[in-house]
Amino acid sequence: GNVEILCSDKTGTITKNELKVKDVCYFKNDETLLLDAMKYTTSLIEEEGDPLEKTIYDYAKNKTSSSFEPISSIPFTSERKMMSVIGLYQNKTIIFSKGAEEEILKRCKYMLFKNEIIPLNQKEIKYIRRQIEKMTSIALRVIAYAYSFSSINEDELVFLGAVGLADVTRRGVKEEITKLKNAGIKVIMITGDNIDT
C-alpha cells in the first residue's frame, strides 16, 4: 500500500478534548452580563453534556447569582454556527446568543463597550477582531456572545464579549506528525474551529 495524505480529526484525536477557559474578553464591561450569557446558553441537564459547554458552564456558574427563566431556544446547527436562548432576566425578556465570532458579528448592530451600547461600525468590528485574534493566535478556541433586551430577533443583537478555551494536545502527537511528514505524507487536520486557532 501507499499513503500520500492522512486526514485526522482534531478534537479528541490530536487533542485530549479537555478544555479550559484561558481568556475572557469583556470589552471593558461589567463582567456579570457576559458570565450570565455563558451560564444560560448551555444546554446542560444535570451538568452533563458537551465538554465545551460543561467547561464554560463550570467557569461561570458560581460567579453570578442572577436568575433566568428560559422560554424558548433556537438550537445550534453546523450551518448556522450559533444558538440562542430566550427568557426572563432581571424581569425583562432577553435573548442570549453564542457561536462562532464571524457568525455572531454578522448579526450584531451594536456592541456593549464600557457598559454602554454603541453602534457597531467598521472601527469597532476591527477592534473586536483584533482582540479575538490575540486568542486564536495562541491556539485558543473562541466562542463569541451577544444579547438583546430590545428585540428577540437574532439579527438585531448587541455584541457582548468572547471566551477563549485551550484544548491540550495529546502527548506524542507532534512527534508522530513529524514522522509522517518525514515519510512524505501530507497531514490534514479536520476541525470546525477558526482557521487561526
Side-chain angles (χ1 to χ4, degrees), residues 10-195:
K10 180 188 77 91
T11 305
T13 304
I14 289 175
T15 67
K16 292 182 178 181
N17 200 18
E18 294 174 3
L19 294 158
K20 290 183 181 177
V21 173
K22 288 288 187 182
D23 195 5
V24 182
C25 189
Y26 294 103
F27 294 99
K28 302 183 181 179
N29 297 307
D30 173 67
E31 62 187 28
T32 303
L33 195 57
L34 179 55
L35 288 167
D36 284 339
M38 292 163 66
K39 185 161 63 170
Y40 298 127
T41 53
T42 60
S43 58
L44 294 173
I45 300 169
E46 296 178 359
E47 299 189 28
E48 294 178 1
D50 180 89
L52 182 141
E53 292 209 333
K54 185 169 184 349
T55 300
I56 293 172
Y57 178 77
D58 286 346
Y59 179 87
K61 69 179 178 181
N62 296 321
K63 290 182 169 63
T64 68
S65 57
S66 59
S67 62
F68 178 78
E69 184 184 329
I71 296 170
S72 64
S73 63
I74 306 166
F76 178 91
T77 67
S78 55
E79 292 77 28
R80 284 167 26 87
K81 295 185 180 177
M82 65 174 290
M83 64 83 67
S84 297
V85 62
I86 298 160
L88 293 177
Y89 176 81
Q90 298 176 351
N91 299 316
K92 291 185 261 184
T93 302
I94 194 170
I95 180 169
F96 283 125
S97 300
K98 75 170 179 190
E101 158 258 329
E102 62 273 16
E103 296 303 318
I104 292 291
L105 268 177
K106 279 182 200 173
R107 295 171 181 268
C108 290
K109 291 188 174 179
Y110 308 94
M111 79 174 287
L112 191 67
F113 184 72
K114 295 182 179 178
N115 299 315
E116 290 186 17
I117 295 172
I118 60 172
L120 189 61
N121 57 35
Q122 285 305 309
K123 179 184 172 186
E124 278 72 36
I125 288 171
K126 284 180 183 176
Y127 171 71
I128 290 168
R129 287 193 169 138
R130 276 199 309 273
Q131 305 313 306
I132 288 171
E133 281 166 10
K134 288 177 185 176
M135 290 193 265
T136 60
S137 69
I138 55 171
L140 298 184
R141 185 173 180 183
V142 177
I143 307 295
Y145 290 84
Y147 79 103
S148 179
F149 277 121
S150 60
S151 168
I152 56 170
N153 186 334
E154 281 188 318
D155 292 317
E156 296 179 15
L157 297 172
V158 180
F159 191 87
L160 184 54
V163 177
L165 301 106
D167 190 358
V168 180
T169 307
R170 285 187 184 276
R171 184 179 293 177
V173 164
K174 186 176 180 181
E175 293 77 10
E176 291 302 321
I177 290 173
T178 300
K179 284 182 195 174
L180 290 164
K181 286 184 174 179
N182 289 342
I185 298 168
K186 181 179 181 180
V187 181
I188 296 173
M189 180 174 71
I190 300 171
T191 177
D193 287 352
N194 181 296
I195 193 161

